[in-house]
Amino acid sequence: MRKLGIAIVGTGMIGAVHRRAALLAGAEVRGVAASSPQRAHDVAQSWNVPRAYRDIEEVVGDPQVQVVHVCTPNHLHRAMAQAALQAGKHVICEKPLATTLEDARALAALAASTGLVATIPFVYRYHPVVREARARIAQGELGPLHLIHGSYLQNWLLDPASNNWRVDPAQGGASRVFADIGSHWCDLVEWVGGERFVDVTAAFATVIAERGTLTGQSFTTPAAGGAMQAVSSEDVAAAMFRTSAGTLASLTVSQVSAGRHNRLWFEIDGAKASVAFNQEDAERLWIGRPDQREEVFVRGPGAGSAEQRRLSVLPAGHAQGYGHCFEAFVADTYRAIEGERPQGLPTFEDGLRSARIVDRVIASARTRAWTPID
Ligand code: SOE
C-alpha cells in the first residue's frame, strides 16, 4: 500500500494525538500548520517533518498531501475543512464539525458532493467493549430498551485560573461543555443503542463566573495570575432526550467535577438485561441481568463479537485505552481512502447529526422547553 502523505493543521494536544495515530497507521506527516508560522516551524522541527506551512493555502497546495487533519480551535473547522475538500484532499476534522448547524450542513454537503473521505473523531466508538455492547443490543440480547442514562465528566476547568480557547464562544462556539463532550456521549449512545433522539429538554449553568487569562491547550496546568475574564459558556449541562422508540435518556456533563478526568459513562437498560460502560475503565463491559447472573465481559481478541475482536489488538489484561481508539479510527479512515468500508466509521454525516443535536440542545436551554431534534 502506498504511504499516505498527510498534513496536520493545529498542533495542540489533539494535533499530537492525530500525529501519533497517523504514524502508527503508516502515513507520512508531510507538514504542519499552526497558530503562527513560528509555532509551525518549531513543531515541524520537534516532530521532524519536512514542511512548516504558513497557512491553509500552502497546505492544500502541497501535492504530497492526500489527507488534511483539522485540529484547530472549533471556529476554524469550516474554513480549513472546506479548503481541503475543495482542493481534492480527504479530511479528518475534529469535532464539533463546525460552530453552527449551517456550517456543518455546508461541510457535510460538500464532502458528499466530492466523494472524498471525510471523517470526524467520535473515537469512543472504537473501544472494543463498546462494539460488544452494540452487537449485543443489535442481536436483541437486551430486549426493548427501557432507559438510557449516563454522564461525561471532566475536571480540567475546575480551577478558576484555568482558561482556554474552548471557554471563549468566539472560538469554541455557543456551547462549550455540551458541544465538546456531550456531543461524544450522544454520538456514542445513539450508535450503540440504535435509537435516535427525537426531542430534548436541556439546561446549562456557568458555575465559575470569571477565569484567568486565556491559554492554549486542554488538560494543562492553569496559567498563573492575569486579569480575570467573565465567562459566558457553560461549565455543566443536563439534558433529557426521548428516542424514536419512546425511550427516555438522561445525560449530565461537566468540566468542573473534581477527580473526574475523562469519565464518559453510560448505562442502557433493556427488558432482559442492561449494559454499562465507563471510559476510564474501558477494558470491561458490565452486563446486568434480573436473576443476579451479573457478568463482566473482559476485552480481548479471543471472545465476543467480530468487531470487538478486530479492535482488540492486545491480549486480555494488556490494557488498551483512548490512544488505541484514536489509532483505530485513523487507520479505518485511511482504509476507507483505500476503498474499504470499515464498520462504524464516523463521517461528516455523523458530524452533521451531532451539530443538529447540539443546536437543538442550545435552543432548549435558552427557551426552557422540550425541543424537537429532527
Ligand atoms: C477536551 O475536553 C477533550 O480533549 C475533548 O475535546 C475530546 O473530544 C475528548 O475526547 C477529551 O477531552
Side-chain angles (χ1 to χ4, degrees):
M1 197 196 287
R2 169 182 63 107
K3 237 183 200 278
L4 283 172
I6 71 153
I8 299 181
V9 181
T11 55
M13 179 279 261
I14 209 69
V17 172
H18 280 245
R19 173 204 178 215
R20 187 171 184 282
L23 292 176
L24 284 165
E28 184 183 355
V29 184
R30 295 289 315 160
V32 293
S35 48
S36 69
Q38 185 58 48
R39 164 109 181 130
H41 175 263
D42 295 347
V43 174
Q45 271 203 333
S46 84
W47 289 3
N48 196 23
V49 301
R51 295 198 58 183
Y53 306 107
R54 196 191 323 274
D55 53 28
I56 188 69
E57 280 70 41
E58 276 195 11
V59 174
V60 302
D62 185 345
Q64 307 286 338
V65 168
Q66 285 92 49
V67 192
V68 177
H69 290 237
V70 178
C71 305
T72 60
N74 301 343
H75 69 303
L76 299 172
H77 289 177
R78 172 163 182 190
M80 302 293 145
Q82 182 169 317
L85 288 167
Q86 284 172 340
K89 314 289 186 191
H90 305 284
V91 178
I92 299 180
C93 181
E94 264 303 326
K95 33 99 346 229
L97 187 53
T99 50
T100 66
L101 179 56
E102 292 66 34
D103 282 355
R105 206 179 270 130
L107 279 181
L110 177 61
S113 72
T114 60
L116 293 160
V117 173
T119 64
I120 182 162
F122 283 126
V123 292
Y124 300 114
R125 292 185 183 194
Y126 283 84
H127 279 297
V129 304
V130 161
R131 302 256 164 167
E132 184 65 22
R134 183 170 191 268
R136 287 176 185 240
I137 291 171
Q139 282 156 15
E141 190 173 323
L142 268 62
L145 304 190
H146 284 170
L147 183 67
I148 300 169
H149 48 116
S151 55
Y152 192 167
L153 310 175
Q154 299 180 334
N155 70 359
W156 66 278
L157 284 166
L158 179 57
D159 187 331
S162 310
N163 207 339
N164 178 273
W165 61 261
R166 291 179 203 279
V167 176
D168 173 13
Q171 298 183 73
S175 160
R176 184 224 309 166
V177 72
F178 200 90
D180 187 29
I181 59 175
S183 59
H184 270 299
W185 192 93
C186 292
D187 174 78
L188 195 62
V189 160
E190 282 198 333
W191 187 70
V192 169
E195 292 186 8
R196 274 168 85 88
F197 298 151
V198 292
D199 46 22
V200 62
T201 180
F204 288 176
T206 304
V207 296
I208 297 178
E210 290 191 324
R211 292 183 175 277
T213 307
L214 275 179
T215 57
Q217 300 195 13
S218 317
F219 300 108
T220 50
T221 317
M228 296 302 274
Q229 299 172 345
V231 173
S232 61
S233 58
E234 82 280 10
D235 294 308
V236 299
M240 185 154 71
F241 299 93
R242 209 182 340 247
T243 74
S244 43
T247 312
L248 286 183
S250 78
L251 166 63
T252 309
V253 272
S254 160
Q255 286 176 324
V256 293
S257 292
R260 299 302 190 192
H261 299 283
N262 202 33
R263 190 180 187 273
L264 181 157
W265 176 80
F266 69 75
E267 178 170 322
I268 302 180
D269 302 333
K272 296 193 279 185
S274 307
V275 290
F277 169 74
N278 172 6
Q279 201 284 142
E280 290 185 339
D281 184 14
E283 292 282 276
R284 290 139 25 102
L285 179 71
W286 177 81
I287 304 165
R289 307 205 189 265
D291 57 4
Q292 300 171 13
R293 270 186 312 116
E294 200 178 32
E295 274 174 45
V296 173
F297 177 88
V298 177
R299 184 202 60 74
S305 65
E307 280 293 291
Q308 193 289 134
R309 283 184 271 114
R310 175 175 83 89
L311 294 172
S312 276
V313 292
L314 293 172
H318 299 70
Q320 286 187 210
Y322 181 82
H324 291 88
C325 291
F326 231 99
E327 288 149 31
F329 158 73
V330 169
D332 271 6
T333 299
Y334 296 169
R335 282 195 189 99
I337 291 170
E338 298 299 335
E340 292 181 35
R341 289 277 161 270
Q343 273 188 41
L345 180 65
T347 66
F348 275 24
E349 274 307 311
D350 300 295
L352 172 57
R353 168 72 186 154
S354 176
R356 175 183 290 283
I357 293 176
V358 170
D359 180 78
R360 302 291 73 209
V361 165
I362 294 170
S364 169
R366 285 191 180 141
T367 57
R368 301 179 169 218
W370 275 97
T371 305
I373 293 174
D374 282 320

